[in-house]
Amino acid sequence: MSSFYRFVLLTISTLCIVAQSHSQYYDTSKPVKVAVFIPLYADDVFNGTSYILDKENLPKNVLPGLEFYNGVMMAIDSLNAEGAKVEISIYDLKQNSKSLSALLRSSELNNVGLIIAAITNTAELKLFADQALNKNIPLISATYPNYVGVSQNPFFVVLNSSFQAHLQGLYKHMQRYYGSQNIIAVTRKGATEDYVKNYFTTLNKSARPGPLKLKWVTVDDAFSNINLLQNNLDSTKNNVVFVASPLERFGLNVVESLSLNDSYRTTTIGMPTWDNIKELDKPKYGNIEIVFSTPFLYYSQNQSLSSLINKRYKDKYYSRPSDMVFKGFEMIYHFTKLLDKHRNNLVNNLSDKSFTLFNQFMLEPVRLKSTSVKPDFLENRKLYFIKKQGGNVKSII
């Protein structure tokens, strides 16, 4: 591990709070308060000021949180440079000295006007959701694409769109761009895959202007019956294949089998998990169009700011920033500026586009039951559909 990263973690382990204030956040003459919770695992790396790991490289579970933290600190630098009236506190979500429930009950969070959390599991989600509802404080769930157990809570915001939101978005996308074509929906046996199939079947029953022309093909995990897919391909036109499983290895195997025959032109539509499959950019899959959805897009939006972040990060950390760095930067800057602008009325102005950096967040109220008067939560329903071929981006919708 580089000495700089060790210094960063040491700083985090000894100073969990960047800034404190006892001000009232609705007083426009005083700074607004933001609490940021990040899974840093500092206590697993340090005992006091002593580094306790035998290995030089940091554990994989530490890196995403550390990179998010680096993005947060870059945003704080930008806010300071602007003279923004904000005070931001950072807490290690995985600290051993104090439980999350105790942290949320502490006086340190008095007068906080916004909580931003990189939640990692459903237990944490429940604690944060309850805190937001009890205190009437907007809570941005920055990275966890789930809302299980959350209801009647308009203060809880799912920024990383849920699986259900992606399925709905994929259906509408296919309706618009492939609605007149036959679509081969390839799947496997599994509970999640059954859910996807049932979800699409239900949407097809009431679809307007018309249902998707889906033909379902089930392939086993050994791909011994892959001919069921291949027999449905047509060499005289472009084939549309929907991979109805979030399992990354299954999706990659489908693309692999489709790429073996150059006589077929194919557009393969996958799950949001495909954003993580770097192998899909390999030249050997160059004859396949790849389409997938994502709520976060950083490599083509606001390229001047993206270049600046890349340069500053490389100068300071001697590496390229990951998407977690950009998320940390964007979420802290964007929502802190909104809090500073709207103060005690932030919850009704979360969709304000005044301080958009990269992504056009579309926060919509979600009601899990049609009879619900109050929204169960807010969710980012803005999805970008990326079309790539041979590792090159062909279009973004």
Side-chain angles (χ1 to χ4, degrees):
M1 179 176 61
S2 72
S3 59
F4 187 85
Y5 270 118
R6 186 174 296 179
F7 170 75
V8 169
L9 276 174
L10 177 59
T11 302
I12 295 167
S13 70
T14 57
L15 282 175
C16 284
I17 302 176
V18 171
Q20 287 187 336
S21 170
H22 298 290
S23 61
Q24 294 291 325
Y25 75 90
Y26 51 80
D27 185 342
T28 57
S29 67
K30 296 180 180 180
V32 294
K33 291 185 66 176
V34 180
V36 183
F37 289 82
I38 309 172
L40 292 165
Y41 299 92
D43 290 340
D44 293 344
V45 180
F46 285 93
N47 181 9
T49 60
S50 300
Y51 183 70
I52 60 177
L53 297 182
D54 294 331
K55 57 182 93 173
E56 280 295 303
N57 295 324
L58 287 171
K60 288 184 177 179
N61 65 321
V62 174
L63 290 175
L66 180 57
E67 290 169 345
F68 190 87
Y69 170 85
N70 290 337
V72 169
M73 294 307 296
M74 293 178 73
I76 291 174
D77 289 342
S78 295
L79 291 167
N80 283 336
E82 295 176 5
K85 293 181 179 180
V86 300
E87 292 183 351
I88 298 173
S89 302
I90 299 178
Y91 300 90
D92 186 354
L93 191 53
K94 301 297 182 179
Q95 63 177 280
N96 298 326
S97 58
K98 205 173 202 178
S99 68
L100 177 58
S101 58
L103 269 176
L104 292 175
R105 291 195 306 268
S106 69
S107 60
E108 295 171 4
L109 295 184
N110 289 348
N111 304 321
V112 163
L114 172 67
I115 298 174
I116 298 175
I119 297 169
T120 64
N121 57 56
T122 55
E124 293 172 357
L125 184 154
K126 182 67 165 60
L127 288 171
F128 278 116
D130 289 347
Q131 174 78 3
L133 184 59
N134 292 337
K135 299 291 186 179
N136 290 349
I137 300 171
L139 186 143
I140 307 297
S141 177
T143 55
Y144 197 56
N146 211 325
Y147 53 80
V148 62
V150 180
S151 65
Q152 303 287 293
N153 190 345
F155 295 94
F156 188 83
V157 181
V158 181
L159 207 60
N160 188 7
S161 309
S162 66
F163 187 54
Q164 291 83 353
H166 280 278
L167 292 183
Q168 188 177 69
L170 281 167
Y171 187 92
K172 291 180 179 178
H173 181 79
M174 286 191 278
Q175 250 192 333
R176 181 173 182 180
Y177 295 98
Y178 308 100
S180 63
Q181 302 180 52
N182 295 321
I183 301 172
I184 306 169
V186 58
T187 187
R188 58 187 289 276
K189 292 183 178 179
T192 303
E193 288 76 13
D194 289 343
Y195 175 84
V196 174
K197 184 175 181 179
N198 291 335
Y199 192 88
F200 270 67
T201 300
T202 301
L203 289 178
N204 251 357
K205 290 178 180 178
S206 58
R208 297 290 182 273
L212 292 176
K213 301 174 183 178
L214 294 169
K215 180 171 184 179
W216 292 90
V217 175
T218 302
V219 177
D220 60 47
D221 286 343
F223 273 60
S224 61
N225 60 341
I226 190 61
N227 61 296
L228 295 177
L229 169 60
Q230 295 168 340
N231 291 344
N232 282 284
L233 298 176
D234 188 337
S235 61
T236 65
K237 63 181 182 180
N238 186 63
N239 298 276
V240 180
V241 176
F242 169 46
V243 181
S245 170
L247 194 65
E248 293 181 20
R249 175 49 55 185
F250 182 81
L252 188 60
N253 286 342
V254 171
V255 174
E256 174 88 34
S257 65
L258 292 170
S259 69
L260 296 177
N261 196 330
D262 289 336
S263 62
Y264 293 102
R265 294 178 296 115
T266 307
T267 297
T268 308
I269 303 168
M271 292 278 138
T273 51
W274 284 25
D275 195 15
N276 302 318
I277 308 178
K278 305 308 178 187
E279 291 94 331
L280 291 174
D281 291 339
K282 290 183 176 179
K284 67 177 180 178
Y285 304 133
N287 60 326
I288 306 293
E289 279 188 343
I290 305 294
V291 177
F292 60 87
S293 57
T294 178
F296 303 114
L297 189 61
Y298 296 108
Y299 50 78
S300 66
Q301 313 282 76
N302 199 344
Q303 292 188 0
S304 60
L305 178 58
S306 179
S307 298
L308 180 61
I309 292 174
N310 272 286
K311 183 180 185 306
R312 288 182 176 176
Y313 196 87
K314 186 176 181 180
D315 290 345
K316 190 171 186 177
Y317 301 105
Y318 308 103
S319 63
R320 294 183 60 184
S322 69
D323 64 326
M324 290 299 287
V325 174
F326 282 91
K327 288 175 183 177
F329 181 90
E330 177 177 43
M331 293 175 196
I332 298 305
Y333 184 90
H334 177 74
F335 289 105
T336 298
K337 293 286 283 187
L338 286 182
L339 176 63
D340 191 28
K341 177 181 178 180
H342 297 289
R343 299 278 165 156
N344 62 327
N345 197 30
L346 174 62
V347 72
N348 293 316
N349 292 278
L350 286 166
S351 292
D352 185 342
K353 300 294 193 291
S354 297
F355 307 105
T356 297
L357 297 181
F358 297 100
N359 295 289
Q360 298 283 341
F361 299 126
M362 188 184 299
L363 302 179
E364 298 182 357
V366 176
R367 292 172 172 82
L368 300 177
K369 296 180 180 179
S370 58
T371 55
S372 297
V373 176
K374 184 189 296 185
D376 289 299
F377 54 90
L378 303 182
E379 182 173 25
N380 176 28
R381 290 300 179 96
K382 173 60 180 178
L383 297 176
Y384 299 94
F385 288 88
I386 316 299
K387 181 184 286 187
K388 303 175 76 174
Q389 189 164 8
N392 299 313
V393 176
K394 295 182 68 176
S395 66
I396 299 172
I397 299 173

